[in-house]
Amino acid sequence: MPGRSILVLDDDPAVGQTIQWIAESLGFQAAFVSRPEDFFRLLDELSPEFITIDLVMPELDGVEIMRLLAGRKCTSKIIISSGMGTRVLDAAQRSASEHGLDIVGVISKPISKEALHLLVGDGRGSMPPVPEEEPKADADNFEVEKSGLQGALDRHEFELAYQPKIQCKSGAPAGFEALARWRHPDRGIIMPDRFIPIAEETGLIDELSAQVFDQSLEWFSNAFPLGELKLSLNISAKSLVDLHLVDSLFDLCRKYYLASDRIVLELTETSAMTDPILSLDLMTRFRVKGFQLSIDDFGTGFSSMVQLARLPFSEIKVDRSFVMNARQSQESRTIIKSVIDLGHSLGLVTTAEGVEDAETFDYLNGLGCDLAQGYLIARPMPGETARSWTEQRMAPSH
Ligand code: C2E
Ligand code: CA
Ligand code: CA
Protein backbone atom coordinates (compact mmCIF):
# COMPACT_ATOMS: atom_id res chain seq x y z
CA MET A 1 0.00 0.00 0.00
CA PRO A 2 1.41 3.42 -0.85
CA GLY A 3 1.17 6.00 1.99
CA ARG A 4 -0.03 5.09 5.41
CA SER A 5 -2.32 2.10 5.60
CA ILE A 6 -4.63 0.21 7.92
CA LEU A 7 -6.07 -3.28 7.63
CA VAL A 8 -9.20 -3.83 9.72
CA LEU A 9 -10.36 -7.27 10.91
CA ASP A 10 -13.80 -7.43 12.51
CA ASP A 11 -16.42 -10.15 12.18
CA ASP A 12 -19.19 -7.55 12.33
CA PRO A 13 -19.28 -5.84 8.90
CA ALA A 14 -21.02 -2.76 10.29
CA VAL A 15 -18.25 -2.19 12.83
CA GLY A 16 -15.45 -3.06 10.39
CA GLN A 17 -16.85 -0.69 7.80
CA THR A 18 -17.11 2.09 10.35
CA ILE A 19 -13.47 1.71 11.33
CA GLN A 20 -12.51 1.71 7.66
CA TRP A 21 -14.40 4.97 7.09
CA ILE A 22 -12.94 6.60 10.15
CA ALA A 23 -9.43 5.59 9.01
CA GLU A 24 -10.09 6.93 5.52
CA SER A 25 -11.39 10.19 6.92
CA LEU A 26 -8.05 10.48 8.75
CA GLY A 27 -6.29 10.13 5.39
CA PHE A 28 -5.32 6.46 5.56
CA GLN A 29 -5.62 3.84 2.89
CA ALA A 30 -7.90 1.41 4.65
CA ALA A 31 -9.18 -2.08 3.90
CA PHE A 32 -11.70 -4.06 5.87
CA VAL A 33 -12.15 -7.86 6.10
CA SER A 34 -14.39 -10.02 8.27
CA ARG A 35 -12.82 -13.47 7.75
CA PRO A 36 -9.40 -14.66 8.94
CA GLU A 37 -8.38 -16.16 5.58
CA ASP A 38 -9.07 -12.87 3.81
CA PHE A 39 -7.18 -11.11 6.54
CA PHE A 40 -4.02 -13.17 6.11
CA ARG A 41 -4.21 -12.92 2.33
CA LEU A 42 -4.48 -9.12 2.42
CA LEU A 43 -1.82 -8.92 5.07
CA ASP A 44 0.69 -10.52 2.69
CA GLU A 45 -0.48 -8.40 -0.22
CA LEU A 46 -0.59 -5.05 1.49
CA SER A 47 1.91 -5.15 4.36
CA PRO A 48 -0.14 -2.51 6.17
CA GLU A 49 1.43 -0.15 8.67
CA PHE A 50 -1.44 -0.70 11.14
CA ILE A 51 -3.79 -3.57 11.84
CA THR A 52 -6.88 -3.39 14.00
CA ILE A 53 -8.10 -6.70 15.37
CA ASP A 54 -11.40 -7.46 17.04
CA LEU A 55 -10.88 -9.60 20.10
CA VAL A 56 -14.15 -11.53 20.03
CA MET A 57 -14.77 -13.34 16.74
CA PRO A 58 -16.46 -16.66 16.04
CA GLU A 59 -13.86 -18.42 13.88
CA LEU A 60 -10.46 -17.48 15.24
CA ASP A 61 -10.55 -15.04 18.12
CA GLY A 62 -8.23 -12.04 18.35
CA VAL A 63 -5.79 -13.79 20.66
CA GLU A 64 -5.38 -16.69 18.24
CA ILE A 65 -4.93 -14.26 15.36
CA MET A 66 -2.18 -12.51 17.27
CA ARG A 67 -0.42 -15.81 18.01
CA LEU A 68 -0.43 -16.53 14.30
CA LEU A 69 0.86 -13.02 13.59
CA ALA A 70 3.66 -13.55 16.09
CA GLY A 71 4.57 -16.82 14.33
CA ARG A 72 4.81 -14.87 11.05
CA LYS A 73 7.00 -12.24 12.72
CA CYS A 74 4.46 -9.58 11.78
CA THR A 75 5.86 -6.07 12.10
CA SER A 76 2.65 -4.10 11.54
CA LYS A 77 1.53 -1.96 14.45
CA ILE A 78 -1.43 -3.59 16.11
CA ILE A 79 -4.51 -2.06 17.67
CA ILE A 80 -6.85 -4.33 19.59
CA SER A 81 -10.50 -3.38 19.47
CA SER A 82 -13.18 -4.88 21.61
CA GLY A 83 -16.34 -4.31 23.54
CA MET A 84 -14.95 -6.33 26.43
CA GLY A 85 -13.93 -4.86 29.76
CA THR A 86 -10.51 -3.37 30.34
CA ARG A 87 -9.18 -6.38 32.28
CA VAL A 88 -9.52 -8.56 29.22
CA LEU A 89 -8.17 -5.86 26.91
CA ASP A 90 -5.18 -5.39 29.22
CA ALA A 91 -4.45 -9.11 29.30
CA ALA A 92 -4.72 -9.37 25.52
CA GLN A 93 -2.35 -6.44 25.17
CA ARG A 94 0.15 -7.99 27.56
CA SER A 95 0.02 -11.34 25.84
CA ALA A 96 0.61 -9.72 22.46
CA SER A 97 3.60 -7.73 23.72
CA GLU A 98 5.03 -10.84 25.30
CA HIS A 99 4.79 -12.53 21.91
CA GLY A 100 6.94 -9.74 20.53
CA LEU A 101 4.18 -7.99 18.56
CA ASP A 102 4.17 -4.22 18.23
CA ILE A 103 1.01 -3.23 20.08
CA VAL A 104 0.22 0.46 19.89
CA GLY A 105 -2.91 0.33 21.99
CA VAL A 106 -6.42 -0.83 22.55
CA ILE A 107 -9.68 0.90 21.72
CA SER A 108 -13.01 0.04 23.16
CA LYS A 109 -16.15 -0.08 21.06
CA PRO A 110 -17.97 1.92 19.93
CA ILE A 111 -14.88 3.27 18.20
CA SER A 112 -14.59 7.01 17.88
CA LYS A 113 -12.57 9.00 15.41
CA GLU A 114 -10.74 10.69 18.28
CA ALA A 115 -9.64 7.39 19.82
CA LEU A 116 -8.30 6.06 16.54
CA HIS A 117 -6.62 9.36 15.71
CA LEU A 118 -4.84 9.28 19.06
CA LEU A 119 -3.33 5.89 18.27
CA VAL A 120 -2.42 6.25 14.61
CA GLY A 121 -1.97 9.97 14.06
CA ASP A 122 -2.76 11.50 10.71
CA GLY A 123 -2.71 9.39 7.55
CA ARG A 124 -1.53 12.24 5.36
CA GLY A 125 0.82 13.95 7.71
CA SER A 126 3.24 12.98 10.35
CA MET A 127 3.43 9.96 12.60
CA PRO A 128 2.27 10.26 16.17
CA PRO A 129 5.17 11.60 18.22
CA VAL A 130 7.77 8.94 18.91
CA PRO A 131 10.08 9.69 21.83
CA GLU A 132 13.70 10.20 20.99
CA GLU A 133 15.55 6.90 21.28
CA GLU A 134 18.55 6.16 23.43
CA PRO A 135 21.66 5.66 21.31
CA LYS A 136 21.10 2.17 20.01
CA ALA A 137 23.89 -0.31 20.38
CA ASP A 138 25.24 -1.61 17.11
CA ALA A 139 25.87 -4.77 19.02
CA ASP A 140 22.98 -7.09 18.42
CA ASN A 141 25.10 -10.07 17.53
CA PHE A 142 27.86 -9.12 19.84
CA GLU A 143 28.64 -11.58 22.61
CA VAL A 144 29.75 -9.85 25.74
CA GLU A 145 32.53 -12.05 27.03
CA LYS A 146 34.61 -11.99 30.11
CA SER A 147 37.79 -11.14 28.25
CA GLY A 148 36.06 -8.26 26.44
CA LEU A 149 34.69 -6.92 29.68
CA GLN A 150 38.03 -7.18 31.46
CA GLY A 151 39.66 -5.27 28.59
CA ALA A 152 36.97 -2.61 28.78
CA LEU A 153 37.60 -2.19 32.49
CA ASP A 154 41.34 -1.98 31.91
CA ARG A 155 40.85 0.65 29.21
CA HIS A 156 38.20 2.53 31.25
CA GLU A 157 35.59 2.31 28.53
CA PHE A 158 32.65 2.68 30.91
CA GLU A 159 30.86 5.99 31.03
CA LEU A 160 27.95 7.23 33.04
CA ALA A 161 24.68 8.83 32.13
CA TYR A 162 22.69 10.59 34.82
CA GLN A 163 18.93 10.55 35.00
CA PRO A 164 17.16 13.12 37.19
CA LYS A 165 14.59 12.40 39.86
CA ILE A 166 12.22 15.17 40.87
CA GLN A 167 9.91 15.86 43.80
CA CYS A 168 6.40 15.11 42.60
CA LYS A 169 4.77 17.87 44.62
CA SER A 170 7.00 20.81 43.72
CA GLY A 171 8.67 19.56 40.55
CA ALA A 172 12.04 20.51 42.03
CA PRO A 173 15.07 18.32 41.25
CA ALA A 174 15.74 15.70 43.94
CA GLY A 175 18.81 13.95 42.58
CA PHE A 176 20.31 11.80 39.85
CA GLU A 177 20.72 8.11 39.21
CA ALA A 178 24.02 7.04 37.67
CA LEU A 179 23.55 4.56 34.81
CA ALA A 180 26.50 2.78 33.24
CA ARG A 181 27.16 2.69 29.49
CA TRP A 182 29.98 0.90 27.70
CA ARG A 183 31.49 2.97 24.91
CA HIS A 184 32.84 0.18 22.76
CA PRO A 185 35.52 1.37 20.31
CA ASP A 186 33.86 -0.40 17.33
CA ARG A 187 30.32 -1.12 18.40
CA GLY A 188 29.26 2.18 19.87
CA ILE A 189 27.29 2.48 23.06
CA ILE A 190 26.35 -0.80 24.74
CA MET A 191 23.57 -0.61 27.30
CA PRO A 192 23.83 -2.10 30.80
CA ASP A 193 21.23 -4.82 30.24
CA ARG A 194 23.81 -6.40 27.95
CA PHE A 195 26.86 -6.31 30.18
CA ILE A 196 25.72 -6.16 33.83
CA PRO A 197 24.45 -9.77 33.89
CA ILE A 198 27.74 -10.95 32.35
CA ALA A 199 29.76 -8.87 34.79
CA GLU A 200 27.78 -10.53 37.58
CA GLU A 201 28.33 -14.01 36.20
CA THR A 202 32.03 -13.58 35.58
CA GLY A 203 32.87 -11.96 38.87
CA LEU A 204 33.78 -8.61 37.30
CA ILE A 205 30.87 -6.70 38.80
CA ASP A 206 32.83 -5.47 41.81
CA GLU A 207 35.52 -3.97 39.62
CA LEU A 208 32.85 -2.39 37.44
CA SER A 209 31.03 -0.99 40.49
CA ALA A 210 34.29 0.42 41.82
CA GLN A 211 34.84 2.33 38.57
CA VAL A 212 31.22 3.51 38.47
CA PHE A 213 31.32 4.67 42.09
CA ASP A 214 34.58 6.56 41.70
CA GLN A 215 33.56 8.25 38.45
CA SER A 216 30.10 9.23 39.64
CA LEU A 217 31.17 10.51 43.05
CA GLU A 218 33.85 12.61 41.44
CA TRP A 219 31.30 14.04 39.01
CA PHE A 220 28.72 14.61 41.74
CA SER A 221 31.15 16.36 44.07
CA ASN A 222 32.17 18.72 41.28
CA ALA A 223 28.68 19.38 39.97
CA PHE A 224 26.84 19.59 43.30
CA PRO A 225 29.38 19.84 46.13
CA LEU A 226 26.73 21.02 48.58
CA GLY A 227 22.99 20.92 48.85
CA GLU A 228 20.11 18.56 49.07
CA LEU A 229 20.44 16.68 45.78
CA LYS A 230 21.17 12.99 46.08
CA LEU A 231 23.15 10.61 43.93
CA SER A 232 21.69 7.14 43.40
CA LEU A 233 23.99 4.25 42.56
CA ASN A 234 22.96 0.79 41.45
CA ILE A 235 24.45 -2.01 43.42
CA SER A 236 24.27 -5.64 42.48
CA ALA A 237 23.04 -8.14 45.04
CA LYS A 238 26.07 -10.19 43.99
CA SER A 239 28.35 -7.52 45.47
CA LEU A 240 26.90 -7.93 48.92
CA VAL A 241 29.59 -10.40 49.89
CA ASP A 242 32.47 -7.99 49.92
CA LEU A 243 33.33 -7.12 53.49
CA HIS A 244 35.18 -3.99 52.41
CA LEU A 245 32.32 -2.58 50.37
CA VAL A 246 30.93 -0.33 53.09
CA ASP A 247 34.28 1.09 54.14
CA SER A 248 35.53 1.59 50.61
CA LEU A 249 32.41 3.55 49.65
CA PHE A 250 32.61 5.55 52.85
CA ASP A 251 36.28 6.34 52.12
CA LEU A 252 35.30 7.42 48.64
CA CYS A 253 32.77 9.86 50.11
CA ARG A 254 35.52 11.30 52.27
CA LYS A 255 37.88 11.55 49.32
CA TYR A 256 35.30 13.69 47.49
CA TYR A 257 34.05 15.59 50.58
CA LEU A 258 30.53 14.23 50.22
CA ALA A 259 28.18 13.46 53.11
CA SER A 260 27.21 9.80 52.94
CA ASP A 261 23.52 10.63 53.43
CA ARG A 262 23.56 12.17 49.95
CA ILE A 263 24.24 8.74 48.46
CA VAL A 264 21.39 6.31 47.79
CA LEU A 265 22.26 2.71 47.01
CA GLU A 266 19.67 1.04 44.80
CA LEU A 267 19.60 -2.67 45.25
CA THR A 268 18.17 -4.61 42.32
CA GLU A 269 17.19 -8.13 42.88
CA THR A 270 18.60 -9.43 39.60
CA SER A 271 20.22 -12.32 41.32
CA ALA A 272 19.59 -13.97 44.62
CA MET A 273 21.84 -12.81 47.39
CA THR A 274 24.68 -15.27 47.74
CA ASP A 275 24.94 -14.94 51.46
CA PRO A 276 21.75 -13.58 53.06
CA ILE A 277 23.22 -13.08 56.50
CA LEU A 278 26.31 -11.28 55.30
CA SER A 279 24.19 -9.08 53.01
CA LEU A 280 21.98 -8.14 55.94
CA ASP A 281 25.06 -7.15 57.91
CA LEU A 282 26.44 -5.10 55.06
CA MET A 283 23.15 -3.35 54.39
CA THR A 284 22.75 -2.51 58.04
CA ARG A 285 26.28 -1.12 58.13
CA PHE A 286 25.55 1.03 55.11
CA ARG A 287 22.65 2.61 57.01
CA VAL A 288 24.71 2.99 60.14
CA LYS A 289 27.31 4.88 58.08
CA GLY A 290 24.59 7.24 56.83
CA PHE A 291 23.89 5.87 53.34
CA GLN A 292 20.32 5.60 52.04
CA LEU A 293 19.12 2.25 50.71
CA SER A 294 16.53 1.80 48.02
CA ILE A 295 14.78 -1.38 46.97
CA ASP A 296 14.78 -1.14 43.18
CA ASP A 297 12.32 -2.65 40.67
CA PHE A 298 9.93 -3.33 43.51
CA GLY A 299 7.29 -5.87 42.63
CA THR A 300 9.32 -7.83 40.08
CA GLY A 301 11.74 -9.81 42.27
CA PHE A 302 10.34 -13.08 43.45
CA SER A 303 10.98 -12.20 47.05
CA SER A 304 10.55 -8.42 47.09
CA MET A 305 8.30 -8.57 50.14
CA VAL A 306 10.70 -10.75 52.09
CA GLN A 307 13.60 -8.44 51.29
CA LEU A 308 11.55 -5.41 52.22
CA ALA A 309 10.71 -6.85 55.60
CA ARG A 310 14.24 -8.05 56.27
CA LEU A 311 16.53 -5.32 55.04
CA PRO A 312 16.80 -1.75 56.29
CA PHE A 313 15.58 0.11 53.21
CA SER A 314 14.82 3.82 53.28
CA GLU A 315 13.31 4.09 49.78
CA ILE A 316 11.05 1.93 47.65
CA LYS A 317 11.11 2.23 43.85
CA VAL A 318 8.01 1.09 42.03
CA ASP A 319 9.18 -0.87 39.01
CA ARG A 320 8.91 0.90 35.69
CA SER A 321 6.89 -1.91 34.12
CA PHE A 322 3.91 -0.93 36.29
CA VAL A 323 4.42 2.79 35.87
CA MET A 324 4.81 2.66 32.09
CA ASN A 325 1.52 0.74 31.87
CA ALA A 326 -0.42 2.86 34.34
CA ARG A 327 -2.38 4.70 31.69
CA GLN A 328 -3.74 1.56 30.03
CA SER A 329 -3.90 -0.87 32.90
CA GLN A 330 -6.14 -0.75 35.93
CA GLU A 331 -4.09 -3.60 37.45
CA SER A 332 -0.89 -1.59 37.17
CA ARG A 333 -2.56 1.40 38.81
CA THR A 334 -3.77 -0.79 41.66
CA ILE A 335 -0.27 -2.20 42.19
CA ILE A 336 1.28 1.27 42.11
CA LYS A 337 -1.17 2.54 44.68
CA SER A 338 -0.57 -0.46 46.95
CA VAL A 339 3.21 -0.10 46.73
CA ILE A 340 3.04 3.62 47.51
CA ASP A 341 0.71 3.01 50.46
CA LEU A 342 2.95 0.20 51.66
CA GLY A 343 6.03 2.40 51.37
CA HIS A 344 4.43 5.23 53.27
CA SER A 345 3.14 3.00 56.04
CA LEU A 346 6.71 1.75 56.48
CA GLY A 347 8.00 5.32 56.55
CA LEU A 348 9.91 4.99 53.25
CA VAL A 349 10.50 7.51 50.50
CA THR A 350 8.45 6.34 47.53
CA THR A 351 9.77 6.74 44.00
CA ALA A 352 8.13 5.88 40.71
CA GLU A 353 10.45 5.23 37.76
CA GLY A 354 9.49 5.00 34.10
CA VAL A 355 7.12 7.98 34.16
CA GLU A 356 6.50 8.65 30.48
CA ASP A 357 3.36 10.79 30.36
CA ALA A 358 1.74 13.64 32.25
CA GLU A 359 -1.39 11.68 33.06
CA THR A 360 0.64 9.05 34.95
CA PHE A 361 2.61 11.78 36.69
CA ASP A 362 -0.62 13.41 37.88
CA TYR A 363 -1.91 10.05 39.05
CA LEU A 364 1.27 9.45 41.07
CA ASN A 365 1.17 12.92 42.53
CA GLY A 366 -2.43 12.38 43.57
CA LEU A 367 -1.38 9.22 45.40
CA GLY A 368 1.23 11.16 47.34
CA CYS A 369 4.21 9.54 45.61
CA ASP A 370 7.34 11.41 46.73
CA LEU A 371 9.71 11.23 43.77
CA ALA A 372 9.42 10.59 40.06
CA GLN A 373 11.90 9.60 37.38
CA GLY A 374 11.29 8.90 33.73
CA TYR A 375 11.40 10.09 30.14
CA LEU A 376 8.64 12.64 30.82
CA ILE A 377 11.01 14.46 33.16
CA ALA A 378 14.29 13.71 31.37
CA ARG A 379 16.20 10.92 29.72
CA PRO A 380 19.56 9.87 31.13
CA MET A 381 22.00 12.64 30.15
CA PRO A 382 25.76 13.17 30.10
CA GLY A 383 27.27 14.55 33.30
CA GLU A 384 28.13 17.87 31.64
CA THR A 385 24.48 18.69 30.95
CA ALA A 386 23.09 17.68 34.33
CA ARG A 387 24.06 20.93 36.02
CA SER A 388 22.47 23.22 33.49
CA TRP A 389 19.40 20.98 33.45
CA THR A 390 19.12 21.41 37.21
CA GLU A 391 19.55 25.17 37.06
CA GLN A 392 16.93 25.47 34.38
CA ARG A 393 14.55 23.28 36.30
CA MET A 394 15.01 25.37 39.44
CA ALA A 395 14.35 28.63 37.58
CA PRO A 396 11.10 30.26 38.75
CA SER A 397 9.57 30.12 35.27
CA HIS A 398 9.55 26.34 35.30
P1 C2E B 1 17.21 0.47 36.63
O1 C2E B 1 18.05 0.63 37.86
O2 C2E B 1 15.77 0.07 36.81
O3 C2E B 1 17.34 1.83 35.84
C1 C2E B 1 16.32 2.46 35.16
C2 C2E B 1 16.33 2.10 33.71
O4 C2E B 1 15.12 2.55 33.14
C3 C2E B 1 17.45 2.76 32.93
O5 C2E B 1 17.80 1.90 31.87
C4 C2E B 1 16.75 3.99 32.38
O6 C2E B 1 17.35 4.51 31.23
C5 C2E B 1 15.38 3.43 32.07
N1 C2E B 1 14.33 4.42 32.10
C6 C2E B 1 14.27 5.53 32.85
N2 C2E B 1 13.15 6.22 32.63
C7 C2E B 1 12.45 5.51 31.72
C8 C2E B 1 11.18 5.72 31.08
O7 C2E B 1 10.45 6.70 31.31
N3 C2E B 1 10.80 4.78 30.18
C9 C2E B 1 11.58 3.69 29.91
N4 C2E B 1 11.12 2.83 28.99
N5 C2E B 1 12.76 3.46 30.50
C10 C2E B 1 13.20 4.36 31.39
P2 C2E B 1 19.32 1.51 31.61
O8 C2E B 1 20.18 2.71 31.75
O9 C2E B 1 19.34 0.76 30.32
O10 C2E B 1 19.67 0.55 32.80
C11 C2E B 1 19.16 -0.75 32.86
C12 C2E B 1 19.51 -1.42 34.16
O11 C2E B 1 20.90 -1.71 34.26
C13 C2E B 1 19.23 -0.55 35.38
O12 C2E B 1 17.86 -0.61 35.65
C14 C2E B 1 20.11 -1.19 36.43
O13 C2E B 1 19.47 -2.31 37.00
C15 C2E B 1 21.29 -1.70 35.62
N6 C2E B 1 22.44 -0.81 35.79
C16 C2E B 1 22.73 0.35 35.17
N7 C2E B 1 23.89 0.88 35.60
C17 C2E B 1 24.36 0.03 36.55
C18 C2E B 1 25.52 0.02 37.40
O14 C2E B 1 26.35 0.92 37.38
N8 C2E B 1 25.65 -1.04 38.28
C19 C2E B 1 24.72 -2.03 38.36
N9 C2E B 1 24.91 -3.02 39.24
N10 C2E B 1 23.62 -2.05 37.58
C20 C2E B 1 23.43 -1.04 36.68
CA1 CA C 1 18.13 1.65 39.63
CA1 CA D 1 14.50 0.16 38.53
Side-chain angles (χ1 to χ4, degrees), residues 177 179 234 266 268 296 317 353:
E177 175 175 3
L179 295 159
N234 289 288
E266 296 191 356
T268 317
D296 203 351
K317 248 182 138 170
E353 64 176 6

Side-chain angles (χ1 to χ4, degrees), residues 336-355:
I336 294 168
K337 182 179 183 317
S338 312
V339 175
I340 290 173
D341 290 348
L342 173 71
H344 283 157
S345 55
L346 293 170
L348 306 177
V349 172
T350 53
T351 301
E353 64 176 6
V355 184

Side-chain angles (χ1 to χ4, degrees), residues 252-279:
L252 211 54
C253 285
R254 266 201 263 182
K255 175 177 165 193
Y256 292 116
Y257 303 101
L258 285 167
S260 56
D261 64 1
R262 297 185 64 204
I263 308 294
V264 184
L265 301 171
E266 296 191 356
L267 184 75
T268 317
E269 212 190 17
T270 47
S271 49
M273 287 175 191
T274 327
D275 183 339
I277 301 177
L278 181 56
S279 10

Side-chain angles (χ1 to χ4, degrees), residues 96-249:
S97 316
E98 277 164 24
H99 274 107
L101 293 172
D102 186 0
I103 297 287
V104 290
V106 294
I107 33 182
S108 351
K109 293 180 180 177
I111 286 153
S112 69
K113 184 170 177 177
E114 290 67 33
L116 191 65
H117 193 196
L118 214 59
L119 288 178
V120 299
D122 197 326
R124 295 175 204 92
S126 58
M127 294 282 291
V130 179
E132 179 203 332
E133 274 302 310
E134 288 264 342
K136 211 166 172 59
D138 148 47
D140 281 351
N141 301 312
F142 172 61
E143 282 275 328
V144 177
E145 290 156 3
K146 181 173 186 182
S147 55
L149 218 49
Q150 183 65 64
L153 286 163
D154 296 342
R155 292 187 297 273
H156 291 265
E157 285 170 4
F158 292 95
E159 294 178 0
L160 290 165
Y162 297 94
Q163 190 179 28
K165 291 188 195 179
I166 59 164
Q167 312 267 2
C168 288
K169 218 180 274 163
S170 64
F176 289 88
E177 175 175 3
L179 295 159
R181 273 95 184 85
W182 176 2
R183 184 176 291 280
H184 192 283
D186 312 318
R187 315 221 168 228
I189 303 283
I190 299 175
M191 299 304 273
D193 288 337
R194 301 291 301 276
F195 60 80
I196 297 285
I198 313 291
E200 287 182 337
E201 275 165 37
T202 55
L204 293 171
I205 188 70
D206 290 343
E207 202 175 333
L208 177 63
S209 299
Q211 289 196 7
V212 166
F213 293 174
D214 193 65
Q215 243 187 75
S216 57
L217 261 68
E218 182 176 21
W219 165 80
F220 191 59
S221 69
N222 284 323
F224 308 104
L226 297 169
E228 298 291 306
L229 292 187
K230 298 205 183 331
L231 173 67
S232 297
L233 303 171
N234 289 288
I235 190 160
S236 160
K238 279 268 192 296
S239 301
L240 293 177
V241 287
D242 175 6
L243 277 171
H244 305 292
L245 190 64
V246 180
D247 293 322
S248 54
L249 198 55

